[in-house]
Amino acid sequence: MSTRDSSDGFSLEAFKAKLSKLETHLKSLLESSSEELHIAKELQKLLHPNRLEKVPGIECLARYISAQDLSCEGFDFLTPKGPHPRESWFVGSWSETFGMSSLLIQTLIKLQSEFTVNRGSPLGPEEFFNSLLASLEGARKKGRVRLLVARLNHHSLKWEGRSVGFAPFLIRRPTPATGFGSWEWTDLRGVQASKDQDKLLAPQTTAEAPKFAWNFDFTLSPGARLAFLSPGWAQTESFSEYEKLLWKNLESSKKKNTLSPTNTLVDDLNALLIEAEDFLKSQKAEKDLSAVVWQVSPTKLHLA
């Protein structure tokens, strides 16, 4: 039986060879993805201790819920080693490709090692942000990214940083009459005057990120609570839509008494996550959820 049809030039043997080559290529891709996933998981374990390093006068709780095994969203904490560290760093990130996520983790580990050796921060927030962004240029498969870098001064309680694709931090200030007020944005001054404010949550390519990135700085008062909530759960890149949805959900949370002035810090963390998860269930969708909350001791003396 002939393997060639002279009428159209089809060769069964050549077709089989192409299929075999395609199968080999697919196996290589699967092995590469699996290896990248394994490396990133091991790097993440090395970077994150089982418990966060304690900072006197500041309580921090965090929760990450992954929508799937192959996830590209996360957050990291860096605190220079030493008996009395002066500052801590927080990095929030999301990327469209797993290779970009792996590169971010590797760069963070490198910077953390520099912190350990130098006993201090070798870079400012904007330089730190730019270093992480530049590292993503080495990814074989590029895509869009969200990135936030923030530095907390332990003494002055000042936060400063740079962000693209993330909403500002949320803050609850203590009130003498009720315990805690409602959640509010910490700082929108850097984007209020910009015509691109509604693109605040939109992920950007590494080339476009500097154009849409914005700087922020604010100082916490003793007793205040701060929260970071990743925006992917809202399934919108429009900041105005995200803001409406967030306030609507927080108002719903108040009615359910899951976000009251008498809440503990862990209650606040869970309330934010519950509202986000409930929304995703209503949309029959799965998204990564990252949430971090901080509380400053109302009694600790902080020196500027």
Side-chain angles (χ1 to χ4, degrees), residues 235-282:
Q235 302 181 88
T236 178
E237 294 180 6
S238 163
F239 179 67
S240 57
E241 290 181 14
Y242 175 81
E243 188 173 32
K244 289 176 185 175
L245 183 61
L246 179 66
W247 297 148
K248 179 181 177 182
N249 282 4
L250 289 178
E251 187 61 34
S252 169
S253 187
K254 283 183 189 176
K255 291 176 182 176
K256 290 187 289 187
N257 202 33
T258 57
L259 193 62
S260 71
T262 57
N263 271 2
T264 64
L265 190 60
V266 71
D267 289 333
D268 271 4
L269 174 65
N270 288 332
L272 289 169
L273 287 169
I274 288 169
E275 290 306 314
E277 285 186 295
D278 285 349
F279 176 78
L280 287 172
K281 287 177 183 177
S282 71

Side-chain angles (χ1 to χ4, degrees), residues 15-247:
F15 183 64
K16 285 181 177 179
K18 285 183 179 180
L19 286 177
S20 177
K21 187 177 180 180
L22 177 61
E23 183 181 11
T24 301
H25 180 61
L26 289 174
K27 282 183 179 179
S28 176
L29 285 176
L30 287 171
E31 289 173 1
S32 176
S33 297
S34 177
E35 183 180 355
E36 283 187 349
L37 177 61
H38 174 71
I39 290 172
K41 283 183 175 180
E42 292 304 311
L43 286 171
Q44 196 77 6
K45 288 177 184 177
L46 288 172
L47 185 63
H48 288 307
N50 289 328
R51 288 182 177 274
L52 299 176
E53 186 171 341
K54 285 191 173 183
V55 176
I58 300 172
E59 184 181 1
C60 178
L61 300 173
R63 180 77 190 278
Y64 170 69
I65 302 173
S66 175
Q68 52 187 355
D69 289 336
L70 192 61
S71 177
C72 296
E73 177 177 296
F75 56 85
D76 300 273
F77 295 94
L78 300 172
T79 299
K81 301 296 182 182
H84 303 291
R86 302 184 305 275
E87 62 189 32
S88 292
W89 292 79
F90 173 75
V91 179
S93 63
W94 171 91
S95 63
E96 278 189 320
T97 70
F98 195 75
M100 294 174 75
S101 180
S102 299
L103 283 171
L104 273 173
I105 295 171
Q106 292 177 55
T107 307
L108 283 167
I109 289 176
K110 177 178 178 294
L111 290 170
Q112 188 179 42
S113 68
E114 291 180 11
F115 284 178
T116 302
V117 172
N118 298 329
R119 303 286 185 181
S121 56
L123 304 173
E126 190 164 349
E127 295 168 306
F128 197 153
F129 179 93
N130 291 336
S131 295
L132 291 176
L133 202 60
S135 72
L136 299 180
E137 293 297 332
R140 285 179 294 177
K141 186 177 179 182
K142 295 181 174 61
R144 299 185 303 164
V145 64
R146 286 187 172 112
L147 184 62
L148 180 147
V149 172
R151 177 172 64 185
L152 167 65
N153 184 299
H154 296 174
H155 302 296
S156 67
L157 300 180
K158 181 180 180 180
W159 281 87
E160 54 184 333
R162 189 164 175 82
S163 172
V164 65
F166 281 109
F169 287 96
L170 292 162
I171 188 169
R172 288 188 86 187
R173 295 181 174 88
T175 59
T178 60
F180 281 97
S182 300
W183 286 111
E184 303 171 352
W185 296 124
T186 50
D187 184 357
L188 274 171
R189 292 169 299 169
V191 289
Q192 278 181 340
S194 170
K195 63 180 180 181
D196 297 317
Q197 179 177 340
D198 207 40
K199 298 178 181 178
L200 192 67
L201 297 187
Q204 305 293 335
T205 64
T206 52
E208 286 291 307
K211 175 183 174 183
F212 291 97
W214 61 290
N215 295 325
F216 59 86
D217 68 82
F218 57 90
T219 300
L220 293 175
S221 58
R225 289 179 180 175
L226 193 70
F228 165 85
L229 184 64
S230 59
W233 65 275
Q235 302 181 88
T236 178
E237 294 180 6
S238 163
F239 179 67
S240 57
E241 290 181 14
Y242 175 81
E243 188 173 32
K244 289 176 185 175
L245 183 61
L246 179 66
W247 297 148

